[in-house]
Amino acid sequence: MGFPGTWMTESESMVYRVVPKCACSTIGQIMYYSDYGRFFDGDIHDAEDGLHKWAHEASQPLIEANVQAHRSMTFTCVRNPYTRILSSFFDKICGIQRNGRRYRGNLVPMLTQKYGIDVGTPENGFEFDQIQSFRRFLLFARDTIRFRRPMDPDIHWSSMSGHVSTFVLNGGRYDRIFWTEDFNTGMQDVLEQVETAHPVTLEDIPRFNESEGHGPKRAHPVEAYFDDLAMHLVYEIYHKDFDLFRYDFENPANKMPAGEIDLDEVHAKLGA
């Protein structure tokens, strides 16, 4: 199975397990900058060189050798499950993608037909009942994750612990897992433990949100989208994420973690 979703700088200074919707564009650009002193011109997910990626066949033996010998600082980044699933909805379901089309072609029409989801259009200014449609999307996300119906779960809303675990199950070990909500602290800790060809000053690094501006803005505070049933669904599908990464399930309004991540616990529970 190898190490899917893993990126490594060409200098092999650091190894990163990508978790979608958790600052991955910004982290990839920081890695690229640390080797070359400039940012990749475009979406870092499209970069064919300048970073080793497991998706590139030529990179696989290099990543595998590094990870198995644990030669480099290895890390990942996680996010509050409430804000992550909301972000997935507004980006992937409501938004128009970089290619000018809806995500995954017929996905949105299928959601409209099977789940009654309305996401508006650019022509009507994306006018729709965001709370109602999001809660219906949450049912769909639960169905894909728990029952693999009407499709397999998408990487953007499958659990973070699922992404993180593939690296552990195949013999990798993390040195650091940090939160998007305290991004600069976590990323600075990583950078301080590696030697880079070009120094990175995090305060000067822009946030690379490749999905921004392609769809509706969130019209309500996070907690407005989650009634008791929605919270129950979120816990049903993301309970490991709340527990391992120390997020507050009881209060959707609190995006900050409630305690420190225990790396030994993460490796023990996700490596079993």
Side-chain angles (χ1 to χ4, degrees):
M1 188 174 179
F3 300 98
T6 300
W7 294 354
M8 180 174 72
T9 50
E10 289 198 331
S11 64
E12 301 198 23
S13 59
M14 55 185 121
V15 173
Y16 163 54
R17 202 314 178 184
V18 177
V19 179
K21 309 305 297 178
C22 299
C24 48
S25 294
T26 299
I27 292 171
Q29 288 282 13
I30 288 171
M31 294 171 71
Y32 189 97
Y33 184 95
S34 74
D35 268 0
Y36 300 105
R38 58 183 170 83
F39 298 117
F40 176 73
D41 184 13
D43 186 339
I44 193 66
H45 293 83
D46 297 334
E48 294 292 327
D49 50 42
L51 272 182
H52 289 302
K53 299 178 178 180
W54 188 260
H56 300 159
E57 200 170 325
S59 294
Q60 291 182 4
L62 297 169
I63 292 173
E64 190 160 18
N66 184 299
V67 171
Q68 289 179 343
H70 201 166
R71 289 202 299 261
S72 303
M73 175 71 183
T74 303
F75 69 99
T76 193
C77 181
V78 294
R79 181 179 186 180
N80 185 295
Y82 286 118
T83 59
R84 181 171 177 261
I85 188 70
L86 265 177
S87 176
S88 296
F89 173 68
F90 280 102
D91 174 16
K92 298 302 174 189
I93 306 304
C94 304
I96 304 300
Q97 304 307 299
R98 296 195 308 274
N99 60 12
R101 297 192 290 272
R102 292 285 189 183
Y103 183 59
R104 295 180 71 148
N106 65 352
L107 176 60
V108 171
M110 183 268 286
L111 290 176
T112 300
Q113 180 188 5
K114 289 183 179 287
Y115 290 84
I117 292 174
D118 174 25
V119 294
T121 65
E123 290 71 35
N124 73 0
F126 293 104
E127 282 292 323
F128 65 99
D129 186 329
Q130 292 188 358
I131 291 173
Q132 180 188 74
S133 283
F134 170 73
R135 290 175 182 171
R136 291 177 177 181
F137 165 72
L138 203 50
L139 280 169
F140 162 73
R142 188 278 308 268
D143 289 349
T144 66
I145 289 167
R146 288 296 306 276
F147 310 117
R148 309 190 85 83
R149 297 195 311 257
M151 56 179 275
D152 283 349
D154 185 271
I155 61 170
H156 297 91
W157 58 79
S158 55
S159 71
M160 296 180 293
S161 53
H163 289 291
V164 171
S165 70
T166 60
F167 191 82
V168 180
L169 285 166
N170 291 301
R173 186 168 182 87
Y174 296 100
D175 300 300
R176 186 79 159 86
I177 299 175
F178 60 89
W179 306 287
T180 58
E181 293 81 10
D182 192 18
F183 181 84
N184 276 15
T185 301
M187 194 71 226
Q188 186 63 47
D189 185 48
V190 169
L191 291 168
E192 285 174 358
Q193 297 184 55
V194 301
E195 287 188 25
T196 59
H198 297 270
V200 178
T201 305
L202 285 177
E203 288 73 20
D204 298 337
I205 301 289
R207 292 294 178 263
F208 291 86
N209 185 353
E210 300 298 344
S211 61
E212 197 170 36
H214 301 298
K217 297 287 187 189
R218 179 161 55 83
H220 310 284
V222 170
E223 60 271 24
Y225 294 86
F226 297 95
D227 61 0
D228 285 347
L229 176 59
M231 288 176 66
H232 174 81
L233 289 170
V234 166
Y235 193 73
E236 181 183 348
I237 55 182
Y238 299 124
H239 59 93
K240 268 191 177 179
D241 292 352
F242 283 105
D243 295 346
L244 283 177
F245 306 130
R246 303 296 193 255
Y247 286 107
D248 181 2
F249 161 70
E250 302 293 340
N251 181 12
N254 176 26
K255 69 177 184 179
M256 298 304 292
E260 292 299 315
I261 295 171
D262 183 334
L263 282 178
D264 288 337
E265 179 189 16
V266 169
H267 289 104
K269 289 186 173 177
L270 297 186

